[in-house]
Amino acid sequence: MKPTIKQLDDLKTKIVKARAAKTLTNAELGRMSCVHPSQVARICEGGFKTFSHNVVQVCKALDVTVPRLEPKQGGMAPEWAQAMSSMRRIWDQTPEGAQVIKRILDAIADLQARAD
């Protein structure tokens, strides 16, 4: 799922405002977010097209909320749409968070397989 141009523009604006309010250097923000200062500079200048892990980490360090990306649900079974909605509610939009959800779902699948 890709963010819309409006979502990108809104997030870029929020990042610029938050960074100006906190008066952090690239190095300081990099240490806070665990992102290399060169990547921090690129992100803070609006040089991104997706909500990558680094973008999310910089946003967290700046207390900026990253918008949730909603998939198109045309033709999707209602039950699957509900399951996806529940997963999106618990996902913190980081790769690590996705891995935690995957491990939980895999464990449930293993338990179901043993019960059969």
Side-chain angles (χ1 to χ4, degrees):
M1 295 169 283
K2 289 182 65 175
T4 65
I5 292 172
K6 181 177 178 355
Q7 287 173 319
L8 286 168
D9 289 344
D10 289 348
L11 185 59
K12 290 173 185 180
T13 300
K14 289 178 185 178
I15 290 171
V16 168
K17 287 180 182 178
R19 174 127 187 251
K22 293 187 185 242
T23 62
L24 297 169
T25 66
N26 291 341
E28 291 167 332
L29 188 50
R31 278 190 295 279
M32 292 172 60
S33 61
C34 298
V35 175
H36 192 275
S38 66
Q39 292 299 307
V40 169
R42 180 185 59 79
I43 292 165
C44 290
E45 291 167 1
F48 60 93
K49 295 181 183 176
T50 63
F51 298 157
S52 68
H53 174 74
N54 286 350
V55 171
V56 172
Q57 293 306 106
V58 168
C59 287
K60 283 183 177 185
L62 292 171
D63 295 320
V64 171
T65 302
V66 178
R68 291 201 180 266
L69 300 177
E70 301 294 328
K72 295 178 183 174
Q73 294 188 4
M76 186 183 299
E79 296 83 4
W80 183 244
Q82 287 176 335
M84 286 183 59
S85 176
S86 294
M87 285 186 281
R88 281 192 307 273
R89 279 199 328 267
I90 61 173
W91 184 37
D92 64 359
Q93 297 198 12
T94 64
E96 295 84 7
Q99 285 298 320
V100 169
I101 294 168
K102 178 192 175 301
R103 285 194 304 267
I104 292 168
L105 293 175
D106 287 344
I108 293 169
D110 290 345
L111 289 172
Q112 285 179 329
R114 289 182 191 152
D116 294 341

